[in-house]
Amino acid sequence: MPRHWRAPLSLLFSLFVLPICTSAANSFENTAIVRTVELGGALVHVTTTYAVKALEDGSSVYTLALGEQEHARTSWLEAKLKGQPGLLPLGDFGYHPESGVFLYTVDLPKALDTNGTANLVVETVLTHATYPWPREAAQKDPQSLKYSTDLFVISPYKTAVQRTKIRSPTPTVHSYTDPEDIEFTTDSVVTKSGATITYGPFYDIPPSATQDFVDAKQKQITIHYDYEFPIVEITKLERTAEISHWGANLNIENKIDLHNAGPRLKGHFSRLEHQTQSYFGRTSAHILPGMNLMLPPGIHSAYYVDQIGNVSTSHLRTVPSVPKGSNANSYSLLELRPRYPVLGGWNYSFTLGWDSPLEDYAGYDSATGKYVVGIPLLTPMPTAVVDEAEIKIILPEGATDIDYFPPYPALSESITKHITYLDTIGRPQITLKYRDLTDKHTGNIYVTYKVPFRAHLQKPLAVATAFIGVFIVALAWKRVDIRIRRK
Ligand SMILES: *[C@@H]1O[C@H](CO)[C@@H](O)[C@H](O)[C@H]1NC(C)=O
Ligand SMILES: *[C@@H]1O[C@H](CO)[C@@H](O)[C@H](O)[C@H]1NC(C)=O
Ligand SMILES: *[C@@H]1O[C@H](CO)[C@@H](O)[C@H](O)[C@H]1NC(C)=O
């Protein structure tokens, strides 16, 4: 799938800082870089640890480089200091044409003096980084995937030693590249131990975030491995949240186009063979019989409809509402069973919706006279990627003074009027669009608005201080990151 414009830059989780000039970055050297790749299906998680040493006093801005392919696949990027939970502010400098790389800066919490050291941990989530190999599989065949990446972690600084560890989810690794004519090492380039393949150590690498280095020294490596779970790709998600004061209700509806991105089925699907496989608990990984979804607590009137009609084979266990702002990790569990097993290459479209008490999501701020509603951006689908998401929030009729604060800047956003036959003046609708969302993209879209007197809730909502507090934090973030936008 061609991707001319990718989401990642807009989806950075940390605070953005205003770019002043690339030369504001200080000078460092990497005493060690260790990259660990956790192979998966739709998502690949990469953790890169940079042990850095400052080469001048007052060094506080470290620059990261991503190659073009790596950048195109990165849907999430966050940086921390090792052992500390707080995310470090990132600056996005975009593409650097002379060097052919994408540059980001990381602000260290405290400037380092000469020879001062820090351990930076950079986590990324890659999407669309694997593909089934072979491209086709018979119903009873196992599923295996290929993943390719650059051999060297590139950096604008010189690196004393670096290595890359690639962990397969199973020890069944069919093949891996053993590159030849590699500099910077005297030993073997690659070693395999169980499910882990290690490239390096490589010593004394010069600054590598340059076109010259990439052209002359960079190599591609490919791993071919077994993956035992279906690869779920949501090619399109249309999520509509409708706030009703009249019914004190929040309706969430998800229209989902699901695609099994595993190998295409070779030959015909045999239901008998499928039943036999299921009976012995040996369903092939490229067959998706169903999945478990974590829906919010306190929901009711859930519905699950596909093109044919109601799907009654699923099972929902609801749990009661939890107080707003509490961290209780409770959820209603939906064991979703499509009407037919979804095989590799197949699509399945369905609609999943439910109602919730509005008070589970809303607060009233008497200081401003505004309602604050926190709408979850996504219903989490672990290990799945959402290629395209359109999220709509429909506010009560006559709502005014509307503001909204998404957890990540959207690719596009708008406010329009949504007219239904019951309305006289229409209901304001917020629409946000995203690409390549992962299970990291959690969080709420906070919406604040006023409503005319007659539209106030019959049952006043308690002001949940914790809830408003969370919202204020979200607001502060928005204030900061709104300053940087892609041209
Ligand atoms: C930094 O370390 C190098 C080598 O260990 C040493 O020669 C140099 O004097 C140190 N500089 C400072 C300012 O401590
Ligand atoms: C689907 O089920 C709901 C209740 O579960 C029912 O109200 C609705 O009429 C059903 N729709 C169809 C098309 O069967
Ligand atoms: C599945 O959907 C994608 C678009 O989302 C389409 O390109 C593909 O042809 C569909 N596959 C099948 C088997 O219908």
Side-chain angles (χ1 to χ4, degrees):
M1 223 179 287
R3 289 202 155 61
H4 307 294
W5 202 93
R6 295 271 313 197
L9 301 184
S10 65
L11 296 179
L12 301 174
F13 192 70
S14 304
L15 301 184
F16 286 109
V17 290
L18 260 186
I20 301 142
C21 170
T22 324
S23 65
N26 303 110
S27 118
F28 290 91
E29 99 185 11
N30 300 307
T31 46
I33 298 179
V34 179
R35 171 175 56 153
T36 307
V37 179
E38 299 285 350
L39 294 176
L43 308 181
V44 171
H45 294 258
V46 182
T47 306
T48 311
T49 306
Y50 298 82
V52 310
K53 184 166 96 174
L55 300 182
E56 62 191 34
D57 286 349
S59 295
S60 63
V61 181
Y62 180 87
T63 303
L64 291 173
L66 289 183
E68 285 185 54
Q69 180 197 50
E70 195 74 2
H71 176 264
R73 294 166 165 182
T74 301
S75 288
W76 181 269
L77 173 70
E78 67 179 41
K80 293 177 184 171
L81 279 185
K82 191 172 188 174
Q84 294 188 17
L87 297 177
L88 301 177
L90 293 171
D92 171 6
F93 286 87
Y95 188 64
H96 196 250
E98 285 109 88
S99 33
V101 300
F102 289 81
L103 296 176
Y104 296 85
T105 53
V106 182
D107 284 10
L108 302 180
K110 228 174 91 205
L112 299 176
D113 282 336
T114 307
N115 290 350
T117 61
N119 282 305
L120 283 177
V121 181
V122 175
E123 274 187 57
T124 59
V125 180
L126 312 183
T127 57
H128 303 282
T130 68
Y131 55 93
W133 195 264
R135 295 280 189 186
E136 292 193 339
Q139 198 170 330
K140 58 181 191 323
D141 287 349
Q143 171 176 263
S144 50
L145 308 181
K146 276 190 176 182
Y147 165 79
S148 303
T149 186
D150 291 334
L151 175 62
F152 296 111
V153 177
I154 56 172
S155 170
Y157 312 112
K158 71 182 174 96
T159 301
V161 56
Q162 69 159 256
R163 44 167 73 78
T164 290
K165 292 181 192 169
I166 302 183
R167 285 207 199 110
S168 159
T170 67
T172 315
V173 175
H174 301 287
S175 69
Y176 53 92
T177 310
D178 187 355
E180 287 172 2
D181 304 325
I182 299 299
E183 282 177 55
F184 317 117
T185 178
T186 47
D187 305 322
S188 62
V189 175
V190 55
T191 49
K192 177 173 181 292
S193 163
T196 304
I197 296 138
T198 304
Y199 287 89
F202 303 114
Y203 299 98
D204 298 322
I205 301 173
S208 50
T210 65
Q211 195 71 57
D212 284 351
F213 183 92
V214 171
D215 290 347
K217 319 274 176 174
Q218 189 60 285
K219 293 262 157 65
Q220 280 267 301
I221 48 177
T222 301
I223 317 292
H224 185 199
Y225 61 101
D226 265 9
Y227 187 65
E228 292 177 335
F229 304 95
I231 306 171
V232 178
E233 195 176 315
I234 308 297
T235 45
K236 185 141 202 258
L237 166 70
E238 277 178 56
R239 181 170 167 97
T240 307
E242 192 165 341
I243 301 169
S244 163
H245 280 222
W246 201 72
N249 189 54
L250 175 71
N251 173 263
I252 302 244
E253 181 168 294
N254 303 278
K255 286 193 177 142
I256 297 174
D257 290 343
L258 183 150
H259 174 68
N260 181 336
R264 280 189 307 271
L265 176 67
K266 193 157 63 185
H268 288 287
F269 172 61
S270 152
R271 194 166 273 277
L272 181 63
E273 189 173 316
H274 176 62
Q275 275 165 1
T276 314
Q277 277 192 344
S278 323
Y279 180 79
F280 291 106
R282 281 200 229 115
T283 309
S284 291
H286 52 87
I287 298 177
L288 174 70
M291 55 187 173
N292 293 343
L293 290 183
M294 289 184 279
L295 306 187
I299 62 171
H300 61 92
S301 318
Y303 51 97
Y304 166 31
V305 184
D306 67 10
Q307 278 127 333
I308 300 173
N310 279 341
V311 189
S312 53
T313 46
S314 293
H315 186 243
L316 175 67
R317 255 172 298 164
T318 55
V319 297
S321 301
V322 294
K324 278 192 294 282
S326 93
N327 285 327
N329 187 24
S330 87
Y331 52 84
S332 304
L333 184 69
L334 175 68
E335 289 164 17
L336 185 121
R337 301 229 137 224
R339 198 173 288 275
Y340 50 85
V342 183
L343 278 87
W346 290 15
N347 295 332
Y348 181 64
S349 297
F350 60 97
T351 299
L352 182 63
W354 58 83
D355 289 321
S356 294
L358 182 58
E359 66 206 54
D360 288 3
Y361 295 88
Y364 181 72
D365 187 353
S366 50
T368 57
K370 288 179 104 176
Y371 286 94
V372 180
V373 184
I375 314 263
L377 180 76
L378 284 182
T379 295
M381 274 178 275
T383 77
V385 56
V386 180
D387 293 347
E388 243 180 77
E390 181 175 279
I391 297 159
K392 294 182 200 156
I393 300 170
I394 300 171
L395 301 180
E397 188 180 355
T400 58
D401 301 84
I402 301 161
D403 269 314
Y404 57 96
F405 309 93
Y408 321 99
L411 293 183
S412 78
E413 44 187 65
S414 62
I415 299 192
T416 50
K417 276 271 162 65
H418 174 86
I419 313 266
T420 66
Y421 68 98
L422 282 177
D423 295 331
T424 47
I425 53 175
R427 311 178 56 177
Q429 172 182 309
I430 299 164
T431 306
L432 302 170
K433 290 187 181 172
Y434 290 94
R435 276 199 78 86
D436 295 326
L437 296 176
T438 69
D439 48 10
K440 281 275 196 181
H441 294 98
T442 54
N444 290 326
I445 304 165
Y446 288 95
V447 182
T448 68
Y449 55 89
K450 289 184 179 165
V451 288
F453 183 72
R454 67 193 152 76
H456 273 292
L457 282 166
Q458 305 297 318
K459 196 168 47 164
L461 298 168
V463 181
T465 334
F467 180 73
I468 301 281
V470 173
F471 157 68
I472 300 289
V473 173
L475 185 68
W477 285 34
K478 175 77 179 182
R479 289 247 162 91
V480 177
D481 73 19
I482 204 159
R483 290 185 292 167
I484 185 164
R485 275 284 138 85
R486 291 269 293 168
K487 295 136 240 151

